[in-house]
Amino acid sequence: MADEIDYEIIGNDMQIVEIELDPEEAVQAEAGAMAYMGPGIQMQTSMGNEGSGLFGGLKKGLKRALTGESFFITSFVQKGSGKGHVAFAAPYPGKIIPLDLTKFGGGLLCQKDSFLCAARGVEIEVAFTRKLGVGFFGGEGFILQRLKGDGLAFLHIGGTVIRKDLAVGETYRVDTGCVAAFTETVTYDITWSKNFKNALFGGEGVVLATLTGPGTVYMQSLPFSRLADRIFAASAFGNREEQNGVAGTGILGGLIGGDRSF
């Protein structure tokens, strides 16, 4: 069973989750997520969850590396007396949401950038989607992380959090980057945009993720890939304006706005 941990989420847009641990309780996170920790907290780095063994841990570490995540998982254990505290910070603007996996059938699939930390005992695995089309056309959707267990997990969702509880057969079509997490009862697939002209010249994706219920879906208004594109477009290495679609409107928009440095 997973450790029963207490927590407090601090802040509004750039949030931190502070975890309170009793002696010998632990929380696990990807390498580099920790913001601060109090006295008595010790870090223990491994390739997988406890009990996986050397081969099992190596296999899980290699799978995580395929997603662009750290090869290692770091556990933060309270070795002192009394209460211990360790905090994890959101990497970009958004919300940190706590999810009790027992309320989602003991499992949840999430984007590789969404997972922040979880109580010790929660399994953090890599889930490959079944269809190759998802990988070739879905971008972030090809490799997902699976969280399994009966404890608390914390996800970071970019921008605003949108939760949809889908009925049986109910389907939403979503930009692939805006899909943050969903229960394992949800069917996930990729479909082509029916209006190819709108996709080509309107700046929207040619393919969309389709999520079909029953189950719960968490969506995000600001996926990290979109934020990174905007930052790059505004930097000295990118265009002065965002260019949408094949034709693009950035240069024309800049000229209309009085910027003649093109």
Side-chain angles (χ1 to χ4, degrees):
M1 295 182 63
D3 290 349
E4 295 184 7
I5 58 176
D6 297 316
Y7 68 91
E8 179 184 5
I9 295 177
I10 304 169
N12 295 314
D13 296 322
M14 294 295 291
Q15 294 185 323
I16 284 178
V17 57
E18 184 177 277
I19 308 294
E20 183 178 84
L21 300 173
D22 291 325
E24 297 303 321
E25 284 186 341
V27 61
Q28 52 191 350
E30 300 284 359
M34 190 271 293
Y36 60 84
M37 57 185 176
I41 300 291
Q42 293 184 10
M43 293 189 295
Q44 299 176 356
T45 302
S46 63
M47 293 177 291
N49 301 86
E50 294 182 6
S52 299
L54 178 60
F55 178 75
L58 180 61
K59 183 178 179 180
K60 290 181 179 180
L62 289 172
K63 284 185 176 181
R64 282 194 303 273
L66 289 175
T67 71
E69 299 294 340
S70 171
F71 185 82
F72 297 97
I73 290 289
T74 303
S75 295
F76 298 83
V77 187
Q78 167 60 353
K79 291 294 186 180
S81 59
K83 304 286 187 178
H85 296 87
V86 57
F88 304 92
Y92 55 95
K95 301 295 181 183
I96 296 174
I97 59 172
L99 297 175
D100 183 352
L101 295 182
T102 59
K103 297 180 179 180
F104 298 97
L108 195 72
L109 294 171
C110 65
Q111 289 275 21
K112 64 179 184 179
D113 295 323
S114 297
F115 172 71
L116 188 62
C117 61
R120 180 176 58 186
V122 172
E123 291 280 340
I124 306 162
E125 302 176 349
V126 173
F128 289 85
T129 54
R130 297 179 180 179
K131 296 186 178 181
L132 289 177
V134 175
F136 289 118
F137 302 114
E140 301 93 332
F142 181 50
I143 301 176
L144 302 169
Q145 287 187 321
R146 176 181 285 114
L147 307 179
K148 295 174 60 179
D150 57 1
L152 279 174
F154 297 84
L155 302 184
H156 173 255
I157 293 183
T160 300
V161 182
I162 305 98
R163 171 174 170 160
K164 296 291 184 182
D165 295 308
L166 305 184
V168 176
E170 185 178 6
T171 297
Y172 269 77
R173 292 182 296 169
V174 187
D175 181 277
T176 52
C178 291
V179 180
F182 52 90
T183 55
E184 294 192 80
T185 56
V186 173
T187 301
Y188 177 74
D189 201 356
I190 291 294
T191 58
W192 288 87
S193 174
K194 293 182 179 179
N195 195 325
F196 187 76
K197 182 176 66 175
N198 285 348
L200 195 62
F201 296 104
E204 300 300 331
V206 177
V207 292
L208 296 170
T210 59
L211 302 167
T212 304
T216 299
V217 176
Y218 286 92
M219 294 178 284
Q220 56 189 359
S221 65
L222 182 63
F224 178 71
S225 57
R226 186 175 297 177
L227 176 63
D229 287 344
R230 294 294 179 90
I231 293 173
F232 180 78
S235 70
F237 300 99
N239 296 323
R240 300 294 300 274
E241 298 272 353
E242 182 189 9
Q243 296 189 18
N244 293 323
V246 173
T249 59
I251 295 177
L252 179 60
L255 290 174
I256 293 174
D259 188 350
R260 302 180 183 278
S261 58
F262 291 93

